[in-house]
Amino acid sequence: MFLKFSLRSLFYGAGGGNDIQWCFSQVKGAVDDDVAEADIISTVEFNHSGELLATGDKGGRVVIFQQEQENKIQSHSRGEYNVYSTFQSHEPEFDYLKSLEIEEKINKIRWLPQKNAAQFLLSTNDKTIKLWKISERDKRPEGYNLKEEDGRYRDPTTVTTLRVPVFRPMDLMVEASPRRIFANAHTYHINSISINSDYETYLSADDLRINLWHLEITDRSFNIVDIKPANMEELTEVITAAEFHPNSCNTFVYSSSKGTIRLCDMRASALCDRHSKLFEEPEDPSNRSFFSEIISSISDVKFSHSGRYMMTRDYLSVKIWDLNMENRPVETYQVHEYLRSKLCSLYENDCIFDKFECCWNGSDSVVMTGSYNNFFRMFDRNTKRDITLEASRENNKPRTVLKPRKVCASGKRKKDEISVDSLDFNKKILHTAWHPKENIIAVATTNNLYIFQDKVN
């Protein structure tokens, strides 16, 4: 009940000025302006409890942060996230048959629900998916009969007495080991992975196909969607994102570059080329332009935790769809409508092809997505209020309250407003994540990870 009240109060305070405010908590990553390509963050994901936060980067590394436990007892402060484990998930490869370099960049990370002391996650680059086990070790065996303490083997003939090996305490060590490698199933670049609610299977999607895998079987997968035409010249759309329903293990959706979302039921047929539902909003003729098809392409699709709604992100907006209504979204939020007049220059510098992600808060009452100039946006579904915040090192003192930012599209600029012409399009927030149970968010800006939380009095 308190959580619900807290989230409801996120933007709506008693007098409008008493809103619960977001404040700076931490920033991870180097301060240098000269950013190495390998350090650019490419995905961010909380685990199911929110205790662990994983990031992947273009260098193929996965960094996992763990929330400190001791501060959880104090009501006014929550535990900070500190590095728990870092490992190289993927290496650059070369496909000799196609003369193609395969980047090590991590496209997506998905956590499996915890079943025992170890944690498991899936990570993928353009071609290969890996299942990683992250486990702790704080004891080591001593007193071998056939081995010295340094690991060298003894001559068995010199062993005159037998002893029982014992476990001795040691400094905590976190080990990441690859348990399964799922390879050679995608001709095109993988853009999505999603774990099924049965926790035994998962899907992986590339531009033209979606495959269904069993977590225990690496040598085969089942193709469940194939939109590749016989003649590639007839290709009109590609798959941009795919996700399983959070509760119904037979249902999944995939979005396309044409702005449509197809909901499929695996009970209907083995190959889900025929969708059960097609979600599409008719285009407003007054907004028709050369860029219409590009900006209508969906870059992310996410089911709500309840499974009743899904959220899609296109270039300029976030839309909330009710699964029972296909003809139009129930809610539409403009993320940066002021860029509509700048589409020509955004096309020339390729920014129009940026793929922004979106996320829900724990109770599905607020949605969040990124923008340019290191801005990110939140939309409260209950009060219909929205806010623009900035991830900046200028506000990097702990507990510093973030000031809402406003962009001036045209006309006279007010004191605290930022002109649309002065926005930095090289600074962009593509990847965001929201703690599943608390008001803690993670926001990736190029090579830095910002963590913010709501101000608790």
Side-chain angles (χ1 to χ4, degrees):
M1 187 68 192
F2 168 77
L3 180 65
K4 193 170 183 182
F5 172 77
S6 168
L7 293 163
R8 180 71 57 85
S9 314
L10 183 58
F11 304 109
Y12 193 73
N18 298 328
D19 301 350
I20 288 187
Q21 297 161 308
W22 288 93
C23 57
F24 174 86
S25 177
Q26 292 172 269
V27 60
K28 307 288 185 185
V31 192
D32 307 340
D33 290 331
D34 191 18
V35 178
E37 181 81 7
D39 294 335
I40 295 174
I41 296 171
S42 53
T43 184
V44 181
E45 189 80 4
F46 280 102
N47 76 337
H48 293 262
S49 68
E51 185 195 349
L52 298 177
L53 172 61
T55 66
D57 63 26
K58 286 193 172 183
R61 295 179 298 261
V62 172
V63 181
I64 300 173
F65 301 94
Q66 183 183 43
Q67 191 175 23
E68 292 296 325
Q69 296 294 320
E70 58 266 19
N71 286 345
K72 284 194 171 180
I73 304 158
Q74 302 173 19
S75 59
H76 65 276
S77 174
R78 289 178 217 138
E80 288 194 341
Y81 284 85
N82 292 317
V83 175
Y84 178 64
S85 176
T86 303
F87 58 92
Q88 189 72 32
S89 173
H90 288 71
E91 301 279 359
E93 297 175 57
F94 192 80
D95 186 332
Y96 292 98
L97 290 174
K98 296 179 182 170
S99 295
L100 195 71
E101 282 186 26
I102 301 168
E103 286 185 344
E104 63 270 41
K105 174 191 161 202
I106 308 295
N107 291 342
K108 286 285 183 287
I109 291 172
R110 290 290 179 267
W111 290 92
L112 275 73
Q114 189 172 7
K115 293 281 172 51
N116 52 33
Q119 297 274 358
F120 289 86
L121 63 81
L122 286 172
S123 64
T124 184
N125 66 351
D126 285 340
K127 300 288 183 184
T128 305
I129 305 155
K130 296 184 181 182
L131 174 67
W132 290 88
K133 177 184 180 183
I134 294 96
S135 54
E136 296 181 353
R137 201 146 61 93
D138 60 358
K139 291 185 176 66
R140 69 167 183 269
E142 284 184 7
Y144 288 103
N145 288 294
L146 296 175
K147 264 200 304 189
E148 301 285 359
E149 296 305 329
D150 60 5
R152 288 181 296 121
Y153 282 93
R154 287 181 185 167
D155 180 357
T157 58
T158 63
V159 178
T160 55
T161 58
L162 292 177
R163 52 185 174 168
V164 178
V166 292
F167 278 101
R168 300 269 185 230
M170 60 177 265
D171 291 338
L172 179 68
M173 205 164 83
V174 181
E175 296 177 318
S177 53
R179 303 313 297 261
R180 306 272 186 279
I181 296 176
F182 307 89
N184 306 320
H186 284 278
T187 309
Y188 307 98
H189 291 178
I190 297 170
N191 56 46
S192 302
I193 49 175
S194 178
I195 295 163
N196 199 344
S197 58
D198 63 11
Y199 304 135
E200 289 187 349
T201 56
Y202 74 93
L203 65 76
S204 58
D206 65 25
D207 294 337
L208 298 178
R209 297 190 181 101
I210 300 176
N211 293 333
L212 180 69
W213 300 83
H214 194 284
L215 283 162
E216 298 292 328
I217 301 167
T218 59
D219 59 354
R220 65 183 179 275
S221 63
F222 297 95
N223 180 228
I224 52 175
V225 172
D226 188 346
I227 65 166
K228 184 184 178 189
N231 179 6
M232 283 295 275
E233 289 179 5
E234 296 168 9
L235 183 68
T236 58
E237 63 180 334
V238 294
I239 297 167
T240 56
E243 187 172 66
F244 266 121
H245 191 278
N247 312 319
S248 177
C249 63
N250 50 276
T251 307
F252 68 94
V253 294
Y254 67 92
S255 59
S256 87
S257 56
K258 274 194 166 177
T260 60
I261 309 104
R262 291 174 173 84
L263 184 139
C264 302
D265 190 334
M266 292 192 292
R267 296 171 300 184
S269 65
L271 191 64
C272 300
D273 281 353
R274 289 199 187 135
H275 50 265
S276 303
K277 292 186 177 184
L278 175 68
F279 299 85
E280 184 176 19
E281 184 177 27
E283 189 186 5
D284 182 356
S286 63
N287 282 336
R288 180 79 193 153
S289 74
F290 170 76
F291 306 107
S292 293
E293 197 164 310
I294 301 172
I295 63 173
S296 67
S297 175
I298 292 169
S299 55
D300 196 16
V301 58
K302 293 269 172 62
F303 278 108
S304 63
H305 297 89
S306 67
R308 170 71 187 271
Y309 301 97
M310 66 178 172
M311 166 171 50
T312 59
R313 171 73 154 95
D314 57 42
Y315 189 66
L316 293 178
S317 64
V318 167
K319 292 172 183 170
I320 311 289
W321 302 78
D322 188 321
L323 294 193
N324 300 323
M325 191 168 87
E326 301 166 57
N327 60 338
R328 61 186 170 84
V330 289
E331 299 158 36
T332 301
Y333 302 105
Q334 300 302 331
V335 178
H336 38 218
E337 184 63 20
Y338 47 78
L339 294 182
R340 195 175 284 276
S341 60
K342 303 282 178 191
L343 292 178
C344 192
S345 56
L346 290 164
Y347 178 76
E348 287 171 0
N349 64 16
D350 281 349
C351 284
I352 202 168
F353 302 106
D354 285 335
K355 292 178 171 30
F356 291 94
E357 295 174 7
C358 50
C359 63
W360 300 84
N361 72 341
S363 67
D364 299 333
S365 61
V366 185
V367 297
M368 174 172 64
T369 190
S371 180
Y372 293 105
N373 209 64
N374 281 354
F375 289 167
F376 57 99
R377 305 266 284 137
M378 290 184 188
F379 304 93
D380 188 308
R381 298 180 59 212
N382 297 323
T383 64
K384 303 303 178 197
R385 295 173 72 177
D386 64 90
I387 192 169
T388 303
L389 299 170
E390 183 182 8
S392 164
R393 284 191 176 269
E394 291 169 18
N395 305 322
N396 65 355
K397 286 187 183 142
R399 317 298 298 160
T400 302
V401 174
L402 300 186
K403 290 178 184 170
R405 309 308 298 258
K406 281 195 168 59
V407 176
C408 171
S410 60
K412 194 173 181 183
R413 185 165 62 90
K414 293 178 187 170
K415 184 184 172 186
D416 293 331
E417 290 184 338
I418 296 148
S419 167
V420 68
D421 296 316
S422 62
L423 295 176
D424 188 343
F425 293 106
N426 293 317
K427 292 179 177 177
K428 58 190 87 168
I429 291 174
L430 302 177
H431 314 289
T432 59
W434 201 308
H435 191 292
K437 296 173 182 167
E438 298 182 57
N439 278 339
I440 298 174
I441 55 173
V443 171
T445 66
T446 319
N447 65 324
N448 292 129
L449 180 72
Y450 285 83
I451 298 170
F452 302 105
Q453 62 182 50
D454 65 339
K455 188 174 183 181
V456 181
N457 295 321

